[in-house]
Amino acid sequence: MHHNITPPVPPPPFNGSSTGGHVHHHTLAHTAFYWGKNAVFLFSGWPGKSSGMYALALVVVFMLAVLVEFFTHTKLVPAGSNRVAKGFFQTGIYGLRVGLAYMVMLSVVSYNVGVFIAAMIGHAAGFAIFGFAFKN
């Protein structure tokens, strides 16, 4: 008597992103600098493949870098303020500055050359305006 036994079929490989029977497809992250408008950084699907949205994204990264320099080089607390209030305010500003700096850093980690250049120019412009021009 011969039994026809088929081996069990192994489950599909786990890619770390299946939920409730739905599989989410992720784009391959770049690990080296590349040119091009087809980038994704900061938010899923943004800026996407649109040239206009890519240009807007570069402006956003530039402005974030300028804001980091603004908060780094500008004294926002008036002299004679309550010591405790001044401490809380400075701590809040510091947290905001660090958060913005991390957003710039996360953008640059996209390895898109345009984003990298926008961040560098934004930091340089911010330093020229807030770290140098207004100090002299």
Side-chain angles (χ1 to χ4, degrees), residues 61-70 73 104 116-133:
V61 170
F62 173 85
M63 293 307 299
L64 286 172
V66 169
L67 280 171
V68 169
E69 296 300 321
F70 169 77
H73 298 287
V104 173
F116 179 71
I117 292 170
M120 284 190 338
I121 293 172
H123 278 294
F127 177 78
I129 296 167
F130 305 110
F132 178 71

Side-chain angles (χ1 to χ4, degrees), residues 106-124:
L106 288 172
S107 298
V108 170
V109 171
S110 73
Y111 289 102
N112 183 279
V113 175
V115 172
F116 179 71
I117 292 170
M120 284 190 338
I121 293 172
H123 278 294

Side-chain angles (χ1 to χ4, degrees), residues 49-112:
K49 296 180 180 182
S50 165
S51 296
M53 290 304 289
Y54 179 69
L56 176 63
L58 294 181
V59 170
V60 167
V61 170
F62 173 85
M63 293 307 299
L64 286 172
V66 169
L67 280 171
V68 169
E69 296 300 321
F70 169 77
F71 287 120
T72 299
H73 298 287
T74 306
K75 187 174 183 176
L76 298 174
V77 180
S81 298
N82 177 305
R83 180 173 147 80
V84 174
K86 181 178 176 179
F88 279 115
F89 185 75
Q90 284 179 320
T91 301
I93 294 297
Y94 178 79
L96 180 62
R97 181 181 67 85
V98 169
L100 293 172
Y102 276 126
M103 288 183 73
V104 173
M105 182 270 310
L106 288 172
S107 298
V108 170
V109 171
S110 73
Y111 289 102
N112 183 279

